[in-house]
């Protein structure tokens, strides 16, 4: 089982998060119905601020991992897609937790809600014992592509790569999908897959203090998102609105990014998958150094900037290297506004090298924007 070492335990072959969660059958159980203050990760991402613009309607997000418990009442009727290879039960619990972060519905009984409640979810299970089988994970990704998922969340990645897995990722990218995978290796120097595969948006995890909590690190990490001390939907709900908390697992950070990717795709339907990834990384809150960090990537996810920012029309196209002198400036919108008419598919593509060259200029622009009153970064509950 892939997890942050020491933070996620296991019982009876099923994932257990935080407080004891195993039922008499060894499967995940709810902590209850969460009614406390809005969870810190949800406050940081602040999806409700974007819902006047988009709730992710028209998007299909594949959640690849341990299945999703369709009996949790915080998923809307019909929101979980069925069909071949889908799984609407979840003994382990991780898939249900990840799916809730992506798309759980607002409900008056709880302060927890998902990022993109308008999106549909495609729950795909693959065997995750002994680090996961990369061949079965490849088949799961192929299923997501066949079902035309625009965002593919690998909540439980594999410990090893394979030609089949690399080919499945390449096929997904060719189909225009955004592949998001958790940096979930629990040993120093290890990498998970397809997290470390070229073209996949690899996501690190931060705690409420903004500190990275995952072990996996490297130049493949694209950005970071909340992955510790979280709240989300629980398996074993039996038809109720029920949650697990506190939850710490790197797959949950990837779920936040997948949810925001769905919002971006819904609001900017002309963008390619690569352009969505570029928008997410370019608008992230940069690390203190202003440069790429091996555990934080290009910084912490900024959902509002990713969806609403206007990027200039002279951004280099895919594969091009933009000189630092012409690096793009991110201009966040002051408030939810009509869809920007000047953002087209060609305006937001940046290669990784171009993004590195642009980082310093982008940081300066973001700092100036904050002095003008743009929403500050928030990590404390």
């Amino acid at each position: 089982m892939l997890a942050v070492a020491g933070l996620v335990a296991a019982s009876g072959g099923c994932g257990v998060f935080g407080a004891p969660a195993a039922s008499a059958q060894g499967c995940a159980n709810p902590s209850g119905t969460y009614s406390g203050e809005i969870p810190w990760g949800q406050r940081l991402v602040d999806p409700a601020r974007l819902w006047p613009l988009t709730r992710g309607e028209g998007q299909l997000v594949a959640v690849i991992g341990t299945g999703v418990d369709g009996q949790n009442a915080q998923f809307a009727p019909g929101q979980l897609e069925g069909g071949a290879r889908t799984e609407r039960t979840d003994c382990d619990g991780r898939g249900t937790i990840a799916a809730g972060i992506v798309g759980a519905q607002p409900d008056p009984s709880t302060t927890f809600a998902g990022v993109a409640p308008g999106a549909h979810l495609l729950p795909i299970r693959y065997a995750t014992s002994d680090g996961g089988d990369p061949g079965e994970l490849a088949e799961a990704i192929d299923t997501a592509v066949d079902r035309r998922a625009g965002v593919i969340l690998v909540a439980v990645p594999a410990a090893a790569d394979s030609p089949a897995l690399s080919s499945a990722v390449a096929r997904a990218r060719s189909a225009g999908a955004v592949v998001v995978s958790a940096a979930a290796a629990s040993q120093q120097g290890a990498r998970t897959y397809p997290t470390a595969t070229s073209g996949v948006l690899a996501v690190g995890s931060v705690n409420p203090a903004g500190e990275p909590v995952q072990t996996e690190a490297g130049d493949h990490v694209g950005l970071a998102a909340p992955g510790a001390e979280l709240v989300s939907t629980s398996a074993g709900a039996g038809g109720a609105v029920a949650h697990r908390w506190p939850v710490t697992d790197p797959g949950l950070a990837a779920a936040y990014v997948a949810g925001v990717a769905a919002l971006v795709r819904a609001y900017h339907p002309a963008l390619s998958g690569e352009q969505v990834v570029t928008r997410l990384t370019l608008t992230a809150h940069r690390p203190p150094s202003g440069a790429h960090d091996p555990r934080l990537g290009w910084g912490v996810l900024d959902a509002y900037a990713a969806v609403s920012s206007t990027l200039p029309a002279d951004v280099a196209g895919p594969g091009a290297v933009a000189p630092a002198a012409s690096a793009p400036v991110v201009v966040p919108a002051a408030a939810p506004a009509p869809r920007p008419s000047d953002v087209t598919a060609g305006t937001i593509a940046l290669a990784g090298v171009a993004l590195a060259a642009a980082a310093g200029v982008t940081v300066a622009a973001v700092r100036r924007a904050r002095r003008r009153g743009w929403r500050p970064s928030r990590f404390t509950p």
Side-chain angles (χ1 to χ4, degrees):
M1 182 179 295
L2 298 170
V4 178
L7 295 177
V8 180
S11 173
C14 298
V16 181
F17 304 88
S23 68
Q25 292 75 35
C27 291
N29 252 356
S31 302
T33 300
Y34 181 81
S35 59
E37 65 178 6
I38 296 175
W40 81 268
Q42 187 175 326
R43 294 203 311 274
L44 175 66
V45 176
D46 199 6
R49 190 181 182 205
L50 286 162
W51 290 344
L53 297 176
T54 174
R55 295 165 63 92
E57 292 87 350
Q59 300 303 303
L60 179 62
V61 180
V63 181
I64 298 177
T66 64
V68 177
D69 186 352
Q71 294 190 42
N72 191 302
Q74 210 167 351
F75 297 117
Q79 186 178 16
L80 297 183
E81 300 281 339
R85 290 189 60 89
T86 60
E87 181 57 69
R88 295 167 63 92
T89 64
D90 183 17
C91 175
D92 181 285
R94 284 175 289 176
T96 304
I97 293 172
I101 288 174
V102 174
Q105 302 298 305
D107 188 277
S109 68
T110 179
T111 53
F112 169 77
V115 173
H120 277 223
L121 306 174
L122 184 68
I124 305 176
R125 186 183 185 277
Y126 84 104
T128 59
S129 60
D130 300 323
D133 181 281
E136 292 193 20
L137 180 52
E139 292 177 3
I141 292 174
D142 281 337
T143 297
V145 175
D146 291 342
R147 295 292 297 272
R148 299 184 179 180
V151 179
I152 300 174
L153 165 62
V154 182
V156 185
D161 198 5
S162 74
L165 182 54
S166 296
S167 295
V169 169
R171 180 171 176 246
R173 294 182 63 204
S174 295
V178 177
V179 183
V180 182
S181 188
S186 58
Q187 296 181 350
Q188 291 289 343
R191 294 187 173 188
T192 50
Y193 296 89
T195 313
T197 303
S198 177
V200 172
L201 182 52
V203 182
S205 306
V206 294
N207 62 19
E211 302 163 340
V213 295
Q214 89 280 3
T215 301
E216 184 170 342
D219 55 8
H220 64 291
V221 177
L223 76 168
E229 303 176 35
L230 303 177
V231 178
S232 188
T233 46
S234 176
V241 172
H243 306 96
R244 286 295 309 154
W245 76 87
V247 184
T248 293
D249 187 276
L252 307 185
Y256 270 114
V257 173
V260 175
L263 295 180
V264 171
R265 300 218 81 157
Y267 194 60
H268 302 281
L271 300 185
S272 69
E274 286 81 0
Q275 289 169 334
V276 172
V277 170
T278 296
R279 177 172 278 268
L280 291 168
T281 51
L282 187 62
T283 56
H285 293 293
R286 288 290 181 264
S289 66
H292 184 274
D293 182 276
R295 296 174 74 192
L296 296 174
W298 290 104
V300 176
L301 176 70
D302 186 329
Y304 186 73
V307 173
S308 68
S309 293
T310 298
L311 302 183
D314 59 355
V315 175
V321 178
S326 60
V329 175
V330 179
V331 183
R339 185 188 308 275
S341 60
D342 57 346
V343 178
T344 62
T347 66
I348 70 164
L350 276 180
V353 175
L355 185 59
V361 175
T362 304
V363 169
V366 170
R367 287 174 178 168
R368 288 195 300 270
R370 286 175 178 161
R371 285 196 295 268
R372 294 194 301 268
W374 181 35
R375 173 177 169 237
S377 176
R378 296 171 294 155
F379 287 113
T380 54

